[in-house]
Amino acid sequence: MAIFDMLPVKFSPFTSSILNTSTVVAITVFVTLLCACIVIGHLLEENRWANESITALLLGLVSGGVVLLVSGGKSSRILVFNEELFFIYLLPPIIFNAGFQVKKKQFFKNFSTILLFGIIGTIISFCLISLGAFLLFKRLGLTSLGIKDYLAVHIEHMKIVFAAAIGAIFSATDSVCTLQKDTLLPTINSGSSFFHVKVLNQEETPFLYSVVFGEGVVNDATSIVLFNAVQSLDFSDIDVFTALKLLGTFLYLFCTSTALGIAVGLLSAFGIKTLCFGRHSTDREVAIMMLMAYLSYMVAELLSLSGILTVFFCGIVMSHYTWHNVTESSRVTTKHSFATLSFIAETFIFLYVGMDALDIDQWKESNASAGTSLAVSSTLFALVLIGRAAFVYPLANISNCIKRRDGDKIELRKQFIIWWAGLMRGAVTIALSYNQFSSSGTSSSTVYSLLITSTIIVVLFSTVVCGSVTKPLINAVMLRNAKPTTSDAADFASLDDLRLFFLENGGSNDASGNQEAPRSSGFRLLMRYPTYTVHQLWRRFDDRFMRPVFGGRGFVPVVPGSPTGAADDQTS
Amino acid sequence: MAIFDMLPVKFSPFTSSILNTSTVVAITVFVTLLCACIVIGHLLEENRWANESITALLLGLVSGGVVLLVSGGKSSRILVFNEELFFIYLLPPIIFNAGFQVKKKQFFKNFSTILLFGIIGTIISFCLISLGAFLLFKRLGLTSLGIKDYLAVHIEHMKIVFAAAIGAIFSATDSVCTLQKDTLLPTINSGSSFFHVKVLNQEETPFLYSVVFGEGVVNDATSIVLFNAVQSLDFSDIDVFTALKLLGTFLYLFCTSTALGIAVGLLSAFGIKTLCFGRHSTDREVAIMMLMAYLSYMVAELLSLSGILTVFFCGIVMSHYTWHNVTESSRVTTKHSFATLSFIAETFIFLYVGMDALDIDQWKESNASAGTSLAVSSTLFALVLIGRAAFVYPLANISNCIKRRDGDKIELRKQFIIWWAGLMRGAVTIALSYNQFSSSGTSSSTVYSLLITSTIIVVLFSTVVCGSVTKPLINAVMLRNAKPTTSDAADFASLDDLRLFFLENGGSNDASGNQEAPRSSGFRLLMRYPTYTVHQLWRRFDDRFMRPVFGGRGFVPVVPGSPTGAADDQTS
């Protein structure tokens, strides 16, 4: 066309030439694929096997293949996998939204179990996977894979470091993957009513969701400590003192990260309550909530803390206080826009992993036969299976021994689901694997590439196979022995006497003066019903000291008949 | 602290080491400053001189200065100014939101005036500024500024190219700046009621807002054509044919960009209406609206069209059709989250410009005395003043001659405000200036640097001075001769006979068959009341053909008593 020839396509400087064409192409392709994922995910909603993450992964694989064909086998990567993109822009909204939407009561009720799994479980899994990887390297003969120019003692050391790195990478539960599991995630579905949670079976499995996801969050702090330990410690003379030091570091990381998240959340609540942003503009409220949440993550990263833990707790505090201090339209907006951003980020990650899987350079470099690749990846996956089984079953039984009430015990079928649901490895694993194995020296690049390609295989297999099987599996397991499940209501049903007791002692908001009596009896109760008592004490503290300062439900004017009441019941 | 020594800060690979520390620091600083801007902007809300953009600019300048002092005069740029960041991530949400929230009736009522200003006005301004810049270069003696190693004829050519580039850069009205002008922007302020527009004096100036902002949008397409012309044409033998070719290119760009935006908007409306995303999840609706809007911009850039025009029209179509097809909570969410994203992007841009102004490298490189710098920048600003005056007043008077009704005429005080409000130059100008003058050869780098620093001075001066004066100025001008202003209601008040006529001829939705009668009389009416008639014809076409297919108000079930009704009145 003449008009096309007339346009100097190479130079149109006002906007077009400023933008790098390859960037524009990459973004266009990704946004188009994201739209396709959303539409396909919507159409497959009723399907029991597929979900959005598998769709995104497969679509990513297909388009990666198309690009590979078009480019003549050169490269399938339109956008180079970038850890910064992942950790700075995609992960924070996902984790923040998880904290924002989590059922706080369930989460804190199971907090001891979560800590047990997240700390002890990760250490057990780490040790087993590292040991397995070490034996695997011994068996494969790491020398045959490229490291010939090292001394024997050096090779031995590298094997240990590699094994430990693999242990740390694969023992980290992928919290993004856990969230994606359709069956465990309390997705929000607002039709005419505002926050109507789907009643498939998410409502039946809040316990499992909080345990598996919470474990993934806590386990981030454990992983940082383990990784540092691998790098800085000499494993040949490990002693009690070193172990105690590591424990100290973990506690420091855990407490400071959590405290930072809570502090930022409270600051946002206090600021919005004091300054009344809503008086002038809704946008300012929403903007300040988004920015403060993001700030908490970045500050944590700046201080070398666990950004994931920080932003998670910031989300919890924001949903408990800040969210109630803003105007009604801000509430609707934040609730949905956080969920949407998280949803887009998740879909993007899976799409990205899918497209990245056909990274031809890594496959060429790895140089290994299909047999070796398959052997390494199946061994790694087997190690993940064993490593997880090795802590879920024992720890669940220990937890059962401690808990006296039947309702609190973790039955065998639940243990099975906890084991299964934490198996998926996703983008976090790939990002860590790239970070660990791609930047280092060149002499052992074939080993590095082999490890990266094996990681990709494990991720693809676990996401597609485990992901599609989980939903029907949980249905089958939960339906076969369909006992009444542990829901919040059933939990406290037998505790009418307790509630009565608290009422008698002024357990309501206007309790004043007679604090001594419930505290002394409180101790007795703490022994009998620890979770419930802690919850009651917290509620009282919250009502008397926190809410008057930081706002929260009941401490800001609520429009009668507003849909917020229904929403409150779910978030508190 | 012992615990700090224990932490191997240099290597904490799980999250911290993956992130480049300087990136984390830059993001933390920017997010903190953004929060500060929002809080300060909120506190200064009642102040008549300050607004958020000036706050952001000054805060940026101050923090740039602090960084400069801390780094010992090395560099004030934490984040290097990046055109890609600006054009890919910051500009699209701002322009999309402007289209989404614009008062469509006002905008299209003044469409002819907008086109006149956006096309003819830009060309006049471009010619004048280019001529002025050419004479300036001649006077300054460009050779004294670094281009000594060129032939005389080459220098002459470069002067022309430079002058034309400056003309193109400075004749482009900065649509972001126009939006920021607090007094012209219909900010949305939702307290208890949903979309309650502030009644300061934005309600009184919808005409001015639509003209000044609309001109900025249309002028993007003009600028692309002019820029291409500068680069590809030889100005020594310009003839009628070349001018016609340029006009053809402009029309092609304008029509295709607009058509693309409308097509994507309609596609989103049709898709959401057909697939009923809201049935399963609100998040999908919101996500698909965001992604489609962004996609329209990227596709336009990919095809070398005007992304700004495309995304603007996509926003208009989405607010007219798509927005009515989604669930109620999606409506609230999109309305506010688009506004919030745009608000954050705007504040970020001004902060960025402020921090960037102290770019010590450019100042050092420019090598010019303070006198020269000041002379160049004041000349440029004077050229902008003259160039704008040279088209606003004549074109407004031409437009007045064509329009017969008194209400449609642009009075002198309105002309003055149109002239004044379009003076501000902002981030778009800086981005274009960097793009044009920083990437090229090294021999004339001192001229380049001088031009960049002069641009920065002009931007700072125009934003701070014009920005803070505009609000009181408009108040003064509008109040001094306080006639009843041209509002939509007053406009059509005298047209009761017309409304009657249309009712008689079946102007309501259920018009059927008797299409011939109103059309023939419609032509007569078109001559007498062109805008009103076109509006009526469009309404009828919309009701009969478009809305049944693409949805829109009245064609999707509306919950009675919902706040959407109020919102509709403003967006349609």
Side-chain angles (χ1 to χ4, degrees):
Chain A
M1 256 175 81
I3 207 136
F4 268 110
D5 300 334
M6 250 173 65
L7 280 171
V9 177
K10 269 174 64 194
F11 193 84
S12 57
F14 246 74
T15 42
S16 311
S17 86
I18 289 171
L19 307 176
N20 191 340
T21 314
S22 65
T23 316
V24 176
V25 171
I27 293 181
T28 311
V29 169
F30 265 98
V31 174
T32 314
L33 288 176
L34 276 176
C35 289
C37 281
I38 293 174
V39 173
I40 296 173
H42 170 75
L43 296 174
L44 292 177
E45 183 79 17
E46 316 286 336
N47 188 306
R48 63 196 305 228
W49 298 93
N51 60 28
E52 222 121 31
S53 55
I54 297 175
T55 313
L57 202 64
L58 294 178
L59 209 61
L61 269 174
V62 170
S63 32
V66 170
V67 174
L68 200 65
L69 282 176
V70 168
S71 71
K74 265 189 201 154
S75 176
S76 72
R77 309 170 84 185
I78 295 191
L79 218 64
V80 178
F81 193 93
N82 186 345
E83 290 105 3
E84 229 171 75
L85 172 77
F86 181 76
F87 282 107
I88 291 188
Y89 303 108
L90 299 175
L91 203 53
I94 297 176
I95 306 294
F96 173 75
N97 183 56
F100 199 74
Q101 317 265 7
V102 83
K103 298 187 173 195
K104 291 188 280 293
K105 211 187 255 174
Q106 269 290 340
F107 184 80
F108 286 110
K109 219 183 93 195
N110 303 314
F111 202 57
S112 56
T113 317
I114 289 168
L115 284 182
L116 198 66
F117 280 30
I119 304 167
I120 314 290
T122 309
I123 294 172
I124 294 174
S125 177
F126 164 74
C127 294
L128 270 175
I129 295 177
S130 301
L131 190 71
F134 182 71
L135 294 175
L136 171 73
F137 289 148
K138 214 155 205 164
R139 181 113 189 281
L140 275 175
L142 208 61
T143 41
S144 72
L145 287 164
I147 337 181
K148 282 169 200 153
D149 43 352
Y150 279 97
L151 293 173
V153 60
H154 208 104
I155 291 178
E156 203 62 19
H157 176 73
M158 282 204 73
K159 275 184 200 169
I160 295 177
V161 171
F162 273 23
I166 284 187
I169 289 173
F170 280 95
S171 64
T173 311
D174 197 325
S175 28
V176 178
C177 257
T178 314
L179 281 176
Q180 262 295 320
K181 272 188 292 310
D182 221 14
T183 37
L184 294 175
L185 176 71
T187 46
I188 283 157
N189 174 16
S190 316
S192 50
S193 78
F194 260 58
F195 301 117
H196 162 65
V197 169
K198 265 187 179 178
V199 198
L200 259 174
N201 51 8
Q202 294 95 320
E203 280 295 80
E204 293 174 21
T205 55
F207 167 76
L208 294 175
Y209 172 75
S210 66
V211 167
V212 176
F213 174 70
E215 179 207 326
V217 170
V218 171
N219 147 333
D220 182 61
T222 322
S223 306
I224 293 178
V225 176
L226 284 177
F227 231 97
N228 291 343
V230 168
Q231 298 288 334
S232 58
L233 291 179
D234 186 0
F235 278 94
S236 51
D237 59 358
I238 197 163
D239 56 7
V240 181
F241 182 68
T242 325
L244 278 177
K245 255 172 80 174
L246 283 179
L247 190 69
T249 316
F250 168 77
L251 285 176
Y252 163 79
L253 265 183
F254 184 84
C255 297
T256 42
S257 302
T258 309
L260 179 66
I262 292 174
V264 174
L266 288 179
L267 183 67
S268 75
F270 185 73
I272 287 179
K273 184 163 179 272
T274 315
L275 294 173
C276 293
F277 280 102
R279 197 152 41 93
H280 291 308
S281 145
T282 302
D283 306 339
R284 281 211 190 93
E285 287 180 339
V286 178
I288 210 122
M289 276 177 83
M290 279 187 183
L291 291 172
M292 293 282 272
Y294 192 58
L295 191 63
S296 76
Y297 182 84
M298 293 319 288
V299 170
E301 289 297 322
L302 202 63
L303 301 174
S304 299
L305 303 176
S306 161
I308 290 183
L309 258 176
T310 303
V311 80
F312 181 76
F313 276 96
C314 183
I316 289 183
V317 172
M318 278 202 177
S319 76
H320 191 65
Y321 297 111
T322 319
W323 194 69
H324 295 277
N325 296 349
V326 298
T327 57
E328 194 174 309
S329 43
S330 291
R331 277 179 228 180
V332 179
T333 307
T334 47
K335 197 97 188 167
H336 288 288
S337 60
F338 291 157
T340 306
L341 290 179
S342 160
F343 170 71
I344 292 176
E346 275 169 29
T347 315
F348 186 86
I349 286 176
F350 282 94
L351 198 58
Y352 202 19
V353 168
M355 288 193 83
D356 200 68
L358 292 173
D359 179 4
I360 203 77
D361 298 332
Q362 297 290 351
W363 292 98
K364 271 183 191 154
E365 193 121 315
S366 84
N367 216 356
S369 66
T372 320
S373 273
L374 216 63
V376 172
S377 14
S378 48
T379 315
L380 283 178
F381 191 62
L383 285 174
V384 171
L385 284 173
I386 297 166
R388 195 164 173 82
F391 78 84
V392 168
Y393 291 104
L395 289 183
N397 285 312
I398 291 173
S399 159
N400 283 349
C401 290
I402 295 168
K403 284 177 185 164
R404 263 176 275 169
R405 288 182 53 239
D406 265 0
D408 282 343
K409 299 208 184 215
I410 308 168
E411 308 151 51
L412 198 64
R413 65 201 171 94
K414 283 192 181 167
Q415 293 175 18
F416 172 74
I417 287 174
I418 291 175
W419 171 71
W420 181 265
L423 282 180
M424 280 204 233
R425 295 292 177 273
V428 173
T429 313
I430 287 194
L432 292 175
S433 160
Y434 266 106
N435 176 58
Q436 186 64 16
F437 298 126
S438 69
S439 55
S440 313
T442 49
S443 67
S444 48
S445 63
T446 46
V447 198
Y448 285 142
S449 293
L450 178 67
L451 290 176
I452 290 179
T453 49
S454 306
T455 309
I456 291 174
I457 294 176
V458 170
V459 167
L460 286 185
F461 181 81
S462 71
T463 308
V464 174
V465 174
C466 300
S468 54
V469 169
T470 304
K471 210 164 165 180
L473 193 78
I474 291 184
N475 276 342
V477 171
M478 292 313 246
L479 284 176
R480 200 161 21 155
N481 29 9
K483 286 188 215 168
T485 47
T486 332
S487 79
D488 298 21
D491 221 17
F492 296 136
S494 64
L495 296 175
D496 277 335
D497 47 336
L498 245 179
R499 207 166 286 137
L500 240 159
F501 170 84
F502 271 107
L503 268 168
E504 276 167 10
N505 287 274
S508 61
N509 287 357
D510 51 6
S512 54
N514 53 355
Q515 218 178 334
E516 217 44 50
R519 190 175 286 164
S520 58
S521 331
F523 185 74
R524 195 163 43 79
L525 284 163
L526 191 69
M527 290 294 95
R528 272 186 72 196
Y529 308 104
T531 323
Y532 186 70
T533 319
V534 168
H535 181 71
Q536 282 296 332
L537 289 174
W538 158 247
R539 280 295 289 275
R540 236 192 265 180
F541 175 73
D542 195 25
D543 285 340
R544 199 171 298 165
F545 300 106
M546 301 294 279
R547 292 192 186 191
V549 180
F550 298 108
R553 183 158 49 127
F555 281 81
V556 277
V558 176
V559 185
S562 77
T564 325
D568 279 354
D569 293 343
Q570 270 159 38
T571 50
S572 66
Chain B
M1 254 175 86
I3 209 137
F4 269 109
D5 301 335
M6 252 172 66
L7 280 170
V9 176
K10 269 173 64 194
F11 194 85
S12 56
F14 248 73
T15 43
S16 310
S17 86
I18 289 171
L19 307 177
N20 191 340
T21 314
S22 65
T23 316
V24 176
V25 171
I27 294 181
T28 310
V29 169
F30 266 98
V31 174
T32 314
L33 288 177
L34 276 175
C35 290
C37 283
I38 293 173
V39 172
I40 295 172
H42 170 74
L43 295 175
L44 292 178
E45 182 79 18
E46 314 289 336
N47 189 305
R48 61 197 306 228
W49 299 91
N51 62 26
E52 223 121 28
S53 54
I54 296 176
T55 312
L57 202 64
L58 295 178
L59 209 61
L61 269 175
V62 170
S63 32
V66 170
V67 174
L68 200 65
L69 282 177
V70 169
S71 70
K74 266 188 202 156
S75 175
S76 73
R77 307 171 85 185
I78 296 191
L79 218 62
V80 178
F81 193 92
N82 188 345
E83 289 105 4
E84 229 171 74
L85 172 77
F86 182 75
F87 282 105
I88 293 189
Y89 302 108
L90 298 176
L91 203 52
I94 296 176
I95 306 295
F96 173 74
N97 183 58
F100 199 75
Q101 318 265 6
V102 84
K103 297 186 173 197
K104 290 189 281 292
K105 211 186 258 173
Q106 267 292 339
F107 183 80
F108 286 110
K109 217 184 94 198
N110 304 313
F111 202 57
S112 56
T113 317
I114 289 168
L115 284 183
L116 198 66
F117 279 31
I119 303 167
I120 314 290
T122 308
I123 292 172
I124 294 175
S125 175
F126 163 75
C127 294
L128 270 176
I129 295 176
S130 301
L131 190 71
F134 182 70
L135 294 175
L136 172 73
F137 289 149
K138 217 158 204 161
R139 177 110 193 283
L140 274 176
L142 208 61
T143 40
S144 73
L145 288 164
I147 337 181
K148 284 169 200 154
D149 44 353
Y150 278 97
L151 293 172
V153 60
H154 208 105
I155 290 177
E156 204 61 22
H157 176 75
M158 280 203 76
K159 274 184 199 170
I160 295 177
V161 170
F162 274 22
I166 284 186
I169 289 174
F170 280 96
S171 64
T173 311
D174 197 324
S175 29
V176 178
C177 256
T178 314
L179 280 175
Q180 261 295 321
K181 269 187 294 313
D182 219 16
T183 37
L184 295 175
L185 175 72
T187 46
I188 283 154
N189 173 17
S190 315
S192 51
S193 79
F194 260 58
F195 300 117
H196 163 66
V197 169
K198 264 186 178 183
V199 199
L200 258 174
N201 50 6
Q202 294 96 321
E203 281 296 81
E204 293 173 23
T205 55
F207 167 75
L208 294 175
Y209 173 76
S210 67
V211 168
V212 177
F213 174 70
E215 177 208 327
V217 170
V218 170
N219 141 337
D220 183 59
T222 322
S223 308
I224 294 178
V225 177
L226 283 178
F227 231 98
N228 292 342
V230 169
Q231 299 288 333
S232 57
L233 291 179
D234 186 359
F235 278 94
S236 50
D237 59 358
I238 196 161
D239 57 6
V240 181
F241 181 69
T242 325
L244 278 178
K245 255 173 77 172
L246 282 179
L247 189 69
T249 316
F250 169 78
L251 286 177
Y252 162 79
L253 263 183
F254 185 84
C255 296
T256 42
S257 301
T258 308
L260 179 66
I262 292 174
V264 174
L266 289 179
L267 183 68
S268 75
F270 185 73
I272 287 180
K273 183 163 178 272
T274 316
L275 294 172
C276 292
F277 281 102
R279 196 154 39 94
H280 291 309
S281 145
T282 301
D283 305 341
R284 281 211 190 91
E285 288 180 337
V286 179
I288 210 118
M289 277 178 81
M290 278 185 186
L291 292 171
M292 294 282 272
Y294 192 56
L295 191 62
S296 76
Y297 182 84
M298 293 318 287
V299 170
E301 288 298 320
L302 202 62
L303 301 175
S304 298
L305 302 176
S306 161
I308 290 184
L309 258 177
T310 304
V311 80
F312 180 76
F313 277 95
C314 183
I316 288 183
V317 172
M318 277 202 178
S319 76
H320 191 67
Y321 297 111
T322 320
W323 193 69
H324 295 277
N325 296 349
V326 298
T327 57
E328 191 175 310
S329 42
S330 292
R331 278 180 227 176
V332 180
T333 306
T334 47
K335 196 97 188 167
H336 288 288
S337 58
F338 291 157
T340 305
L341 289 179
S342 161
F343 171 71
I344 292 177
E346 274 169 30
T347 315
F348 186 86
I349 286 176
F350 282 96
L351 199 58
Y352 202 20
V353 169
M355 286 192 84
D356 200 67
L358 293 172
D359 180 2
I360 203 76
D361 298 333
Q362 297 291 353
W363 291 97
K364 272 183 192 153
E365 194 122 314
S366 82
N367 215 358
S369 67
T372 320
S373 274
L374 216 64
V376 173
S377 13
S378 48
T379 314
L380 284 177
F381 191 63
L383 286 173
V384 171
L385 284 171
I386 297 165
R388 196 164 172 80
F391 78 83
V392 169
Y393 291 104
L395 290 182
N397 284 313
I398 291 173
S399 158
N400 283 349
C401 290
I402 296 168
K403 283 177 186 164
R404 262 176 277 166
R405 286 182 53 240
D406 263 359
D408 281 343
K409 299 209 188 227
I410 308 169
E411 309 149 51
L412 196 67
R413 62 200 171 93
K414 280 191 183 169
Q415 294 175 17
F416 172 73
I417 288 172
I418 292 175
W419 170 71
W420 180 265
L423 283 180
M424 281 204 231
R425 294 295 176 271
V428 173
T429 312
I430 287 194
L432 292 175
S433 159
Y434 266 107
N435 176 57
Q436 187 64 15
F437 299 125
S438 68
S439 55
S440 312
T442 49
S443 68
S444 49
S445 62
T446 46
V447 196
Y448 285 143
S449 294
L450 179 66
L451 290 176
I452 290 180
T453 49
S454 304
T455 311
I456 291 174
I457 293 176
V458 170
V459 166
L460 285 185
F461 181 80
S462 71
T463 309
V464 174
V465 174
C466 300
S468 54
V469 170
T470 304
K471 209 166 168 177
L473 193 77
I474 292 183
N475 276 343
V477 172
M478 293 313 244
L479 283 177
R480 204 162 16 157
N481 29 7
K483 286 189 217 166
T485 48
T486 331
S487 79
D488 297 21
D491 223 15
F492 295 137
S494 63
L495 296 174
D496 275 335
D497 49 333
L498 245 177
R499 207 167 285 136
L500 241 158
F501 169 85
F502 271 109
L503 267 167
E504 275 165 12
N505 287 275
S508 59
N509 287 357
D510 50 8
S512 55
N514 54 353
Q515 219 178 335
E516 217 46 47
R519 192 175 285 164
S520 58
S521 331
F523 184 74
R524 194 165 43 80
L525 283 164
L526 191 69
M527 290 292 95
R528 270 188 70 196
Y529 309 104
T531 325
Y532 186 70
T533 320
V534 168
H535 181 72
Q536 282 294 332
L537 289 174
W538 157 248
R539 280 295 289 273
R540 238 190 263 180
F541 174 74
D542 193 28
D543 286 340
R544 199 172 298 165
F545 300 106
M546 301 294 279
R547 292 193 185 188
V549 179
F550 299 108
R553 186 159 48 128
F555 282 79
V556 279
V558 175
V559 185
S562 78
T564 325
D568 279 356
D569 292 340
Q570 270 159 37
T571 52
S572 67

